[in-house]
Amino acid sequence: MSDSWKLTAFAGKAAVRDALAAQEEAADWDHEIVIAGFEVADDRPDDWRLDAYFPREPDAADRAAIAALFNGKAPRMTVEKLPETDWVTESQRGLDPIRAGRFHVHTPDHAPSRAPGVVNFAIPASQAFGTGQHETTAGCLAMLDAMKRRGTAVRNCADIGTGTGLLAFAALALWPRALATASDIDPACVGVVEHNAAANGIALGGGAGALAMTVADGMDGALLRARAPYDLLIANILAGPLVALAPDFARAMVPRGNLLLAGLLQGQEDAVRRACRRAGFRLAARMVNGDWSILWLRKRPRS
């Protein structure tokens, strides 16, 4: 593997959260640099760190790019070279299981739940995020469960930016006769989804009750267009793309169709909701999980 380096900046929770949002809005961001925010310790909830991962040793320009994400004086930073390993995989290894709605998500290191009515998914550490640990993924699972309990019927669904395939798997568990499509901009996710589908007994294919996987940028994919219109679209991505994609979501959806959005911080919710309102959606329900908003919207009949 190539060299991997990590730059860590220490700051308060609000400052790190604002830095994550600033990176998302940066049009010229170098996407070889991957950033994430974490608490420093459980007993210090307001002390956070921002980790930035590089495929090279960070130089002065790289340090300046991270510093520019913070308002005012740049925080203290440290740099370290990482061992030759897949840091995404290692960061997810041994994760504790999570419960969201009726879903129990665990890595293969943990046993499935034996509780009645629970749907188990085994998602290993992999090269794509989406094990259920992040608040947005867990929130989407809980919201999907709530949609089912409130009587939502789904015949044709798509998971945009699927990552590991988990949310598409959950939709098929709730609506087992639906047509289901999963897409991601990253071709590496195809193999990840296929592996996870086999491990969880999810059929792959184009028929009812099976999952069709494709590579696409947003809604711009031949398979996504061919299988429209949808009565459920799931997009757990980022606030900026959600705003930009709102009209595309509306065009690809039946009247009264359901749109489940996540990946947006609470401070970004207003912008996402405005874009969706302009595209013809109304809010059906919202959930807050940690700092993140999860939105269930429905397309207006005459939009």
Side-chain angles (χ1 to χ4, degrees), residues 49-90:
R49 74 178 200 264
L50 184 145
D51 289 346
Y53 295 88
F54 295 80
R56 60 185 182 273
E57 183 176 2
D59 59 18
D62 293 325
R63 288 173 174 268
I66 300 302
L69 298 176
F70 294 88
N71 292 320
K73 184 179 179 180
R76 178 170 60 92
M77 298 182 190
T78 63
V79 175
E80 62 178 307
K81 185 177 181 182
L82 300 176
E84 291 191 3
T85 187
D86 183 343
W87 65 266
V88 177
T89 298
E90 292 302 316

Side-chain angles (χ1 to χ4, degrees), residues 123-124 126-129 163-165 169 187-198:
I123 305 293
S126 69
Q127 291 184 333
F129 288 104
T164 61
F169 300 167
C189 291
V190 175
V192 172
V193 171
E194 290 174 347
H195 177 274
N196 290 337

Side-chain angles (χ1 to χ4, degrees), residues 52-169:
Y53 295 88
F54 295 80
R56 60 185 182 273
E57 183 176 2
D59 59 18
D62 293 325
R63 288 173 174 268
I66 300 302
L69 298 176
F70 294 88
N71 292 320
K73 184 179 179 180
R76 178 170 60 92
M77 298 182 190
T78 63
V79 175
E80 62 178 307
K81 185 177 181 182
L82 300 176
E84 291 191 3
T85 187
D86 183 343
W87 65 266
V88 177
T89 298
E90 292 302 316
S91 71
Q92 295 182 355
R93 195 177 305 282
L95 294 175
D96 291 334
I98 64 107
R99 178 71 182 269
R102 72 188 71 188
F103 300 107
H104 177 89
V105 185
H106 61 95
T107 65
D109 304 293
H110 295 274
S113 171
R114 304 298 182 189
V118 170
V119 177
N120 287 284
F121 289 118
I123 305 293
S126 69
Q127 291 184 333
F129 288 104
T131 62
Q133 293 290 326
H134 196 278
E135 289 97 335
T136 59
T137 310
C140 284
L141 291 169
M143 189 67 88
L144 285 169
D145 185 63
M147 292 165 67
K148 175 69 173 183
R149 295 183 188 278
R150 287 174 57 172
T152 300
V154 173
R155 299 174 181 83
N156 188 11
C157 63
D159 178 17
I160 310 302
T162 192
T164 61
L166 175 58
L167 297 180
F169 300 167

Side-chain angles (χ1 to χ4, degrees), residues 197-243:
N200 288 279
I202 304 295
L204 295 175
L211 180 65
M213 178 68 195
T214 188
V215 177
D217 183 357
M219 297 300 295
D220 186 19
L223 184 65
L224 287 172
R225 291 191 295 268
R227 291 169 70 90
Y230 302 94
D231 46 24
L232 171 62
L233 285 176
I234 305 165
N236 179 16
I237 44 178
L238 294 169
L242 291 177
V243 169

Side-chain angles (χ1 to χ4, degrees), residues 16-27 29 35 68-70 268:
V16 172
R17 181 183 62 190
D18 290 345
L20 294 171
Q23 182 271 326
E24 180 186 326
E25 300 298 329
W29 184 258
I35 68 172
L69 298 176
F70 294 88
Q268 300 167 322

